[in-house]
Amino acid sequence: MTDTTDDIAEEISFQSFEDDCRLLGSLLNDVLHREVGPRFMDKVERIRILAQSACNMRTAGIKDTAELLEKQLASELSKMDLEEGLTLARACSHYLNLMGISETHHRVRKQRNLSHMSKSCDDIFNQLVQGGVSPDDLYNAVCKQEVEIVLTAHPTQINRRTLQYKHIRIAHLLDYNDRPDLGHEDREMLIEDLVREITSIWQTDELRRHKPTPVDEARAGLNIVEQSLWKAIPHYLRRVSNALKKNTGRPLPLTCTPIRFGSWMGGDRDGNPNVTANVTRDVSLLSRWMAIDLYIREVDSLRFELSMNHCNDTISRLAQEILEKESDTSSEDRHDTWSPVQRNQLKNHASCAPNLPMQLPARADLPSCTECQARESQYPRLDLPGTDYMPLNRQGGSGSPSKLPTNEILSNNSQTKAHTSSASLSSAQLLAKRKLFAENKIGRASFQKLLEPSQPLRPGIAPYRIVLGNVMEKLKKTQRRWELLLEGLPSEADPSEYYEFPDQLMEPLVLCYESLHSCGSGVLADGRLAALIRRVATFGMVLLKLDLRQESGRHAETLDAITRYLDMGTYSEWKEEKKIEFLIRELKGKRPLVPPSIEVGPDVKEVLDTFRVAAELGSDSFGAYVISMASHASDVLAVELLQKDSQLALGGELRRPCPGGTLRVVPLFETVKDLREAGSVIRKLLSIDWYREHIIKNHNGHQEVMVGYSDSGKDAGRFTAAWELYKAQEDVVAACKEYGIKVTLFHGRGGSIGRGGGPTYLAIQSQPPGSVMGTLRSTEQGEMVQAKFGLPQIAVRQLEIYTTAVLLATMRPPLPPREGKWRNLMEEISNVSCQMYRNTVYENPEFLTYFHEATPQAELGFLNIGSRPTRRKSTVGIGHLRAIPWIFAWTQTRFVLPAWLGVGAGLKSACEKGHSEDLRAMYQEWPFFQSTIDLIEMVLGKADISIAKHYDEVLVAESRQELGAQLRKELMETEKYVLVVSGHEKPLENNRSLRKLIESRLPYLNPIHMLQVEILRRLRCDNENHKLRDALLITINGIAAGMKNTG
């Protein structure tokens, strides 16, 4: 509700939104009447009316009546049997999902209908020019902008992918329903389609029955690219280009892209033993394969479109060279893409067979009615693009353009070869040869190419088709290469026959683009061809560059094994200075550190294997190597040494250098303690001559630093985490500036506010001044990936927001604290807030048990929404629990405790000391402080004390009821002091549309909460009841749909 949109207040038209909700709700009612019967639907309606009435009473301030209605609702739900409860949970869950689809659709509709969109490229570019920024400065800033959005597999996407696709289908049908020219019959057919989709959804199991593998998660990320981002990128870049041209007079260069994409899916092994070196290798190759597959589809369509003959000299010469090269090559070699081993086998088998003709007979492509002496036929040949047309040649010189079925040609060809080689081949050899031919996929493709026409060297040819046909062949050979590598087979193809780098693919496309413009066909060049060039610039040959992530302790364990083997002692026991001295000495050396004979345990071997895969595939396949829980300079140097060593070792085996350079190494500072030391660590690193020279030489003088929002929030509470992150970024920027090094900050944000989530624009605009200087990396996780990029229209809007927010933060940085005392006041609030948070979560011995009783945390593991365990280590404390289940569990109870706990105590302390006016001034004038308070206010708008109290009353032991009461009192106090600072009368007063959206969900959301409480009560008395567990998981799904985020 808070994290999926940036401008939901201005992008929702409630009349049309409510119309769609009524339509989908009515259709779901019809489906349920048919599926579960009218008697049960009467119960559902009674439950909804009770919930709606209770909500109305609370809104009107009549709390006593609201409590009576809520008790009656809970009583009726407790009397339901398991089947009824399960069906009710499913029904309410689907209602909430359909409402979510309607919200998303109306964002799309509003964007389409508005003539002027705030925060769009045109809007912000115009603001900057009107504000005094010169057109040249604006143009250069946009062209040099480097933003990378990194998709992660964090387990917060609750919906199965099957259901996500069905939801997208409904969104498309709603879009079609908006057409003003839709006739009565068409509308009736559309309603029937909607009914079919809703019926299909109802009859589909909502629950994942098995955990996804890391490769499954990677496929989900690639599907987002294929279904949405692939379509969105050209549209987004065209918007940027048009806005630039309008405001500066110059369009965006064709090969320039301000945004690129990365991925952690298949590369993030931090605490996930399922992500192995082999998984990383397979995911990287799969991403490359998918990129080529998408390019093949685009080039195939482009060949059909560019049918014209007129071109410039460059394209004409290139087409002639391609034809001459094909003409000079034997028919066998020209179409041969088999491996050398397969080729030699077939040559030996056919040594006694007569040679095939080296080329088609002269004029074989012309109609048989053409006179032999005529240079051109009076009946021009019909050229059908994209078909496998092949004129069959006759020995007499003229060919008939008839086309036989492929199986008949294969049969005839096989009979001929069998007859001619019968003297030299036994039947067993012949059978083996045929089997090899039939089973070899590449062989079948190669033989099929024998049926394609060779392009004649004559006037009237379509030169663009010849050039793009050559591009297509190279792409297919590239794809076959990745297929062989994925199968673990050697690929010995000639490097000139496939693409490895984006520039190789880009070159012929840009030549075609320039030719079309020079020939007056710019309107054609700027269509599908320009879109393809922009995709190549954005996605390259890998689609999503894969980051690798590992915890710093695993690298120390690896070096422990190496130093002990070399009788040097135990690396992890050394002091920091000794570690650095050893690492730098080895980094300067030219020999491998790890002996080939070393025997290590499986954990250490896995780390070494990961570095070997990175060296084997090369830096072009990967983005960064992220070190989680980094705390010292030696953590970074250790990774630099291990990857250098793997490159030396593999290069020695291959007897050639490894592809590309080393990956950039990115320390991730997560805990409050590590955030406070981040600047010192970076200073220490940059003070080392070897490291500083390495950064300048190999990474263009750029140091990347990642800051983590999840663990810092779990460690000290949201308010303290936000302040420590702000200061850490300031310190890191200052440290890099001292050494003349540019810095890129990588933000590890989650979806929920408790993990650093929130509207993108607000988040970027509240960063410290100077921390966003045209560069930014940020994660998008779990359900946020689908919410922000699941539909092309939504994705375009999100990409624009990233671009304009980074541009504003660069050219018009947010204001720093106006007065020094503001920083001191923040320190005081942070200290009180942190102390309150830690006293409750870590120091209170009753809290852990209370947490397990009051929330469904223990049951979340059965959701099967991620490949990684919920805990880093097998302990029961909060410390090793991951941030996602920590926040997920509290979100389910509507207490949302991690996002606000401690905030009220800190603000109350400041107000009681007479700083109320200072806090209001900070809220009005300091973007960072305003953003922090607004996000907490959003959380308070989602929290519900009465629902949280119901969980406590039913599920928590009486001895711990008092703890729950104290926490609810703290929530009320937090709301009071947040409103004092913001000046609002109640939460979300400045975002009434969002508040209305929340309220519209409550008649379906509140019953699911009460049903979940009842199911949890029963399940804890009957833990092995799988039917009860399924019902619980469905309520978790429904609450996640209503809250619009999970963890």
Side-chain angles (χ1 to χ4, degrees):
M1 289 186 296
T2 63
D3 303 329
T4 57
T5 70
D6 280 84
D7 305 298
I8 199 163
E10 63 190 43
E11 291 183 11
I12 288 286
S13 165
F14 273 97
Q15 182 58 56
S16 52
F17 163 67
E18 289 168 354
D19 288 344
D20 278 348
C21 285
R22 275 193 292 271
L23 171 63
L24 295 179
S26 171
L27 296 179
L28 178 59
N29 267 325
D30 293 344
V31 169
L32 292 181
H33 269 90
R34 187 175 67 249
E35 294 284 336
V36 300
R39 187 175 176 183
F40 181 77
M41 288 308 296
D42 289 342
K43 282 189 178 182
V44 173
E45 183 61 14
R46 175 172 171 76
I47 294 293
R48 188 194 68 79
I49 291 172
L50 274 173
Q52 181 71 72
S53 301
C55 292
N56 292 342
M57 292 299 103
R58 283 206 175 272
T59 303
I62 312 173
K63 293 185 179 180
D64 292 342
T65 306
E67 287 179 3
L68 286 173
L69 289 168
E70 286 164 357
K71 285 181 180 178
Q72 185 179 350
L73 177 61
S75 174
E76 296 210 7
L77 290 172
S78 67
K79 294 174 185 176
M80 282 188 168
D81 62 34
L82 180 55
E83 285 297 330
E84 287 181 325
L86 184 66
T87 305
L88 176 65
R90 295 188 65 215
C92 291
S93 177
H94 287 309
Y95 272 115
L96 290 167
N97 276 313
L98 293 176
M99 291 178 73
I101 294 168
S102 297
E103 289 177 29
T104 302
H105 170 61
H106 282 283
R107 290 175 61 204
V108 173
R109 172 192 283 150
K110 197 71 175 179
Q111 291 172 30
R112 187 171 56 227
N113 294 339
L114 283 178
S115 57
H116 177 80
M117 182 74 72
S118 69
K119 305 181 184 72
S120 66
C121 289
D122 189 32
D123 176 41
I124 298 302
F125 293 178
N126 181 59
Q127 281 185 32
L128 288 170
V129 171
Q130 295 298 321
V133 174
S134 74
D136 285 345
D137 288 345
L138 173 61
Y139 181 82
N140 291 331
V142 173
C143 292
K144 291 177 182 178
Q145 190 175 108
E146 294 180 13
V147 174
E148 186 169 358
I149 299 168
V150 181
L151 310 182
T152 78
H154 285 71
T156 59
Q157 174 51 267
I158 202 82
N159 282 324
R160 290 179 59 198
R161 201 164 52 178
T162 298
L163 291 175
Q164 291 175 42
Y165 285 144
K166 294 178 186 297
H167 293 168
I168 289 172
R169 171 69 178 155
I170 290 175
H172 289 324
L173 289 170
L174 288 178
D175 192 51
Y176 187 65
N177 190 42
D178 286 342
R179 287 181 51 171
D181 61 339
L182 207 60
H184 177 71
E185 186 176 346
D186 288 336
R187 200 171 297 278
E188 284 187 346
M189 291 172 64
L190 181 141
I191 295 298
E192 290 174 5
D193 286 342
L194 282 170
V195 169
R196 271 187 284 274
E197 291 296 334
I198 294 171
T199 304
S200 173
I201 287 172
W202 178 257
Q203 294 181 359
T204 299
D205 188 358
E206 298 98 323
L207 303 178
R208 292 183 175 94
R209 297 299 173 178
H210 305 283
K211 273 187 175 291
T213 67
V215 176
D216 292 334
E217 292 170 334
R219 286 198 193 100
L222 294 175
N223 284 337
I224 285 288
V225 175
E226 181 181 13
Q227 77 185 26
S228 177
L229 290 174
W230 189 257
K231 302 170 187 174
I233 278 294
H235 190 183
Y236 151 72
L237 289 172
R238 191 160 58 246
R239 281 195 186 180
V240 176
S241 184
N242 290 343
L244 263 186
K245 189 172 183 179
K246 178 179 176 182
N247 291 280
T248 71
R250 289 184 287 174
L252 186 74
L254 192 62
T255 58
C256 176
T257 178
I259 288 184
R260 287 185 170 84
F261 298 91
S263 172
W264 278 12
M265 301 177 189
D268 181 8
R269 58 230 323 113
D270 176 24
N272 189 350
N274 300 309
V275 180
T276 63
N278 286 334
V279 165
T280 295
R281 182 180 184 277
D282 287 348
V283 168
S284 179
L285 292 173
L286 182 64
S287 184
R288 282 180 171 269
W289 185 93
M290 174 67 94
I292 299 301
D293 194 60
L294 291 170
Y295 288 138
I296 286 173
R297 299 181 212 173
E298 291 300 322
V299 172
D300 194 38
S301 299
L302 200 55
R303 288 170 71 195
F304 180 86
E305 183 174 296
L306 300 185
S307 55
M308 60 291 306
N309 295 338
H310 194 37
C311 66
N312 65 9
D313 291 342
T314 305
I315 287 294
S316 180
R317 282 195 301 271
L318 181 57
Q320 290 291 97
E321 288 170 6
I322 292 169
L323 291 174
E324 288 170 6
K325 184 178 178 181
E326 289 187 352
S327 179
D328 291 342
T329 308
S330 68
S331 178
E332 179 184 353
D333 289 342
R334 178 169 66 246
H335 301 294
D336 188 10
T337 55
W338 292 7
S339 70
V341 174
Q342 295 165 334
R343 188 184 300 121
N344 290 335
Q345 286 176 336
L346 290 180
K347 283 185 178 178
N348 293 335
H349 286 320
S351 58
C352 297
N355 292 329
L356 291 172
M358 300 296 288
Q359 60 185 24
L360 293 173
R363 309 174 62 76
D365 62 303
L366 300 179
S368 56
C369 59
T370 306
E371 296 181 10
C372 295
Q373 287 76 22
R375 294 189 63 183
E376 284 295 331
S377 167
Q378 59 178 314
Y379 305 103
R381 174 185 167 195
L382 180 63
D383 193 4
L384 298 175
T387 68
D388 292 329
Y389 178 86
M390 173 60 187
L392 294 177
N393 304 313
R394 294 178 178 171
Q395 207 65 17
S398 62
S400 171
S402 59
K403 183 176 181 179
L404 295 177
T406 302
N407 58 352
E408 187 176 339
I409 297 172
L410 288 171
S411 174
N412 291 343
N413 197 27
S414 299
Q415 292 171 12
T416 303
K417 286 194 174 184
H419 176 75
T420 55
S421 59
S422 57
S424 58
L425 292 176
S426 68
S427 59
Q429 287 175 313
L430 193 60
L431 185 62
K433 173 187 171 183
R434 286 177 177 171
K435 186 176 180 182
L436 173 67
F437 186 86
E439 291 181 351
N440 190 293
K441 178 180 175 182
I442 299 174
R444 291 200 302 273
S446 300
F447 188 85
Q448 189 66 30
K449 285 174 60 60
L450 289 171
L451 307 180
E452 296 180 1
S454 62
Q455 295 287 355
L457 275 167
R458 62 180 175 83
I461 61 172
Y464 298 104
R465 286 184 172 174
I466 292 172
V467 172
L468 293 173
N470 184 253
V471 170
M472 174 81 85
E473 286 307 307
K474 281 194 174 184
L475 286 170
K476 288 180 177 178
K477 290 176 182 178
T478 306
Q479 192 175 42
R480 289 172 196 141
R481 179 171 183 254
W482 300 134
E483 288 169 359
L484 288 171
L485 291 174
L486 276 166
E487 291 294 331
L489 300 172
S491 173
E492 301 177 11
D494 184 345
S496 66
E497 293 186 350
Y498 62 83
Y499 293 121
E500 189 157 8
F501 305 107
D503 290 348
Q504 295 171 321
L505 174 57
M506 188 79 79
E507 182 182 0
L509 300 178
V510 171
L511 289 176
C512 289
Y513 181 87
E514 292 170 347
S515 173
L516 286 167
H517 266 283
S518 68
C519 295
S521 301
V523 65
L524 293 173
D526 292 329
R528 190 186 294 272
L529 177 57
L532 177 55
I533 291 171
R534 293 197 188 281
R535 287 181 175 119
V536 175
T538 302
F539 295 110
M541 305 303 289
V542 297
L543 214 58
L544 300 172
K545 278 199 171 187
L546 191 62
D547 279 6
L548 305 178
R549 183 169 80 132
Q550 183 58 279
E551 197 253 332
S552 59
R554 294 290 299 275
H555 306 134
E557 290 172 13
T558 303
L559 287 172
D560 281 348
I562 295 169
T563 55
R564 282 197 294 262
Y565 182 84
L566 297 174
D567 294 327
M568 299 175 67
T570 303
Y571 169 84
S572 59
E573 295 176 358
W574 299 348
K575 291 183 178 180
E576 177 69 2
E577 288 305 319
K578 184 177 178 182
K579 289 179 182 178
I580 291 175
E581 181 184 347
F582 163 73
L583 294 168
I584 293 298
R585 184 174 65 248
E586 291 299 328
L587 281 164
K588 290 179 178 178
K590 296 183 179 180
R591 59 170 177 77
L593 172 67
V594 182
S597 58
I598 191 172
E599 294 183 4
V600 295
D603 287 349
V604 172
K605 184 178 184 302
E606 183 56 45
V607 171
L608 294 174
D609 286 347
T610 298
F611 282 106
R612 185 181 177 88
V613 165
E616 175 191 341
L617 296 181
S619 56
D620 290 315
S621 295
F622 298 100
Y625 193 109
V626 179
I627 310 167
S628 57
M629 295 298 173
S631 56
H632 299 94
S634 60
D635 293 333
V636 174
L637 296 174
V639 173
E640 294 284 9
L641 176 58
L642 289 171
Q643 65 170 332
K644 174 221 169 192
D645 196 76
S646 64
Q647 286 207 318
L648 284 175
L650 185 62
E653 293 175 23
L654 300 175
R655 297 184 179 177
R656 60 176 172 80
C658 291
T662 58
L663 310 186
R664 61 187 189 275
V665 180
V666 180
L668 165 53
F669 301 103
E670 299 179 82
T671 66
V672 167
K673 178 178 179 294
D674 291 340
L675 285 168
R676 287 171 178 167
E677 296 296 322
S680 300
V681 171
I682 298 302
R683 283 185 181 87
K684 180 64 177 176
L685 274 171
L686 296 177
S687 70
I688 300 169
D689 292 340
W690 178 90
Y691 185 78
R692 191 171 61 256
E693 290 166 7
H694 166 71
I695 288 292
I696 293 169
K697 178 183 176 183
N698 297 313
H699 299 300
N700 200 29
H702 246 98
Q703 173 66 57
E704 188 173 320
V705 177
M706 186 172 185
V707 289
Y709 290 69
S710 300
D711 283 289
S712 57
K714 185 166 70 73
D715 191 28
R718 185 71 260 141
F719 193 93
T720 298
W723 179 230
E724 294 299 336
L725 283 158
Y726 187 92
K727 292 190 297 179
Q729 291 178 69
E730 287 183 318
D731 202 15
V732 166
V733 169
C736 290
K737 191 174 182 180
E738 289 168 18
Y739 288 91
I741 299 294
K742 301 171 189 173
V743 63
T744 295
L745 287 167
F746 185 4
H747 298 267
R749 294 182 176 277
S752 64
I753 289 168
R755 292 180 52 241
T760 303
Y761 196 87
L762 186 65
I764 295 174
Q765 283 296 291
S766 61
Q767 297 305 307
S771 64
V772 183
M773 296 305 293
T775 64
L776 179 84
R777 287 188 100 211
S778 182
T779 57
E780 290 290 359
Q781 305 179 3
E783 81 278 18
M784 292 297 104
V785 175
Q786 183 68 34
K788 291 184 176 181
F789 305 111
L791 291 174
Q793 305 96 315
I794 299 295
V796 169
R797 175 66 172 155
Q798 284 297 322
L799 296 175
E800 272 199 283
I801 284 172
Y802 263 106
T803 299
T804 56
V806 169
L807 183 67
L808 273 180
T810 301
M811 307 198 80
R812 292 283 186 268
L815 295 172
R818 190 188 70 193
E819 301 178 27
K821 70 175 181 179
W822 286 7
R823 297 183 72 94
N824 296 333
L825 192 52
M826 280 296 294
E827 285 291 342
E828 291 177 22
I829 296 171
S830 175
N831 290 336
V832 173
S833 175
C834 182
Q835 185 176 357
M836 164 68 184
Y837 179 90
R838 291 194 64 84
N839 284 346
T840 302
V841 174
Y842 292 99
E843 305 301 330
N844 189 329
E846 295 289 333
F847 181 81
L848 182 61
T849 307
Y850 169 77
F851 170 54
H852 287 303
E853 288 178 343
T855 73
Q857 186 274 326
E859 291 79 12
L860 292 178
F862 295 108
L863 282 171
N864 293 323
I865 59 175
S867 67
R868 74 181 188 180
T870 56
R871 291 181 179 273
R872 281 192 168 95
K873 298 181 181 178
S874 56
T875 57
V876 295
I878 300 291
H880 289 123
L881 179 68
R882 287 189 179 274
I884 288 173
W886 164 244
I887 291 172
F888 199 157
W890 288 114
T891 303
Q892 286 285 305
T893 69
R894 296 275 285 286
F895 213 5
V896 210
L897 179 141
W900 57 261
L901 183 61
V903 176
L907 295 177
K908 178 182 178 182
S909 172
C911 289
E912 287 178 346
K913 291 178 181 178
H915 296 298
S916 299
E917 290 303 318
D918 289 322
L919 291 175
R920 291 191 190 98
M922 289 163 65
Y923 179 80
Q924 294 295 328
E925 300 178 34
W926 188 9
F928 162 74
F929 187 73
Q930 184 184 74
S931 167
T932 303
I933 295 298
D934 283 347
L935 290 174
I936 293 168
E937 189 176 320
M938 280 187 187
V939 170
L940 298 175
K942 297 172 73 171
D944 191 305
I945 288 178
S946 63
I947 294 291
K949 181 181 179 183
H950 185 60
Y951 276 83
D952 282 6
E953 289 174 342
V954 177
L955 301 173
V956 175
E958 189 173 345
S959 61
R960 282 176 286 277
Q961 293 271 346
E962 180 60 28
L963 176 57
Q966 290 173 4
L967 291 172
R968 291 193 295 276
K969 182 180 177 183
E970 184 64 29
L971 173 58
M972 288 188 285
E973 198 150 83
T974 300
E975 180 176 318
K976 172 184 173 181
Y977 284 100
V978 165
L979 295 178
V980 166
V981 173
S982 68
H984 301 151
E985 291 186 9
K986 56 183 176 180
L988 297 177
E989 185 181 275
N990 61 337
N991 197 342
R992 295 179 184 178
S993 295
L994 178 57
R995 190 171 75 237
K996 189 170 181 180
L997 285 172
I998 294 171
E999 290 170 355
S1000 69
R1001 298 190 191 111
L1002 296 182
Y1004 302 103
L1005 182 57
N1006 287 354
I1008 303 183
H1009 281 293
M1010 294 184 175
L1011 192 58
Q1012 185 180 83
V1013 171
E1014 176 61 25
I1015 292 170
L1016 275 170
R1017 184 188 66 78
R1018 296 184 193 182
L1019 186 61
R1020 289 173 182 178
C1021 299
D1022 186 9
N1023 196 38
E1024 297 302 316
N1025 189 324
H1026 294 288
K1027 196 81 172 177
L1028 269 174
R1029 185 181 295 162
D1030 281 358
L1032 174 67
L1033 298 181
I1034 287 170
T1035 64
I1036 291 173
N1037 284 6
I1039 292 168
M1043 295 292 279
K1044 296 292 281 186
N1045 64 344
T1046 49

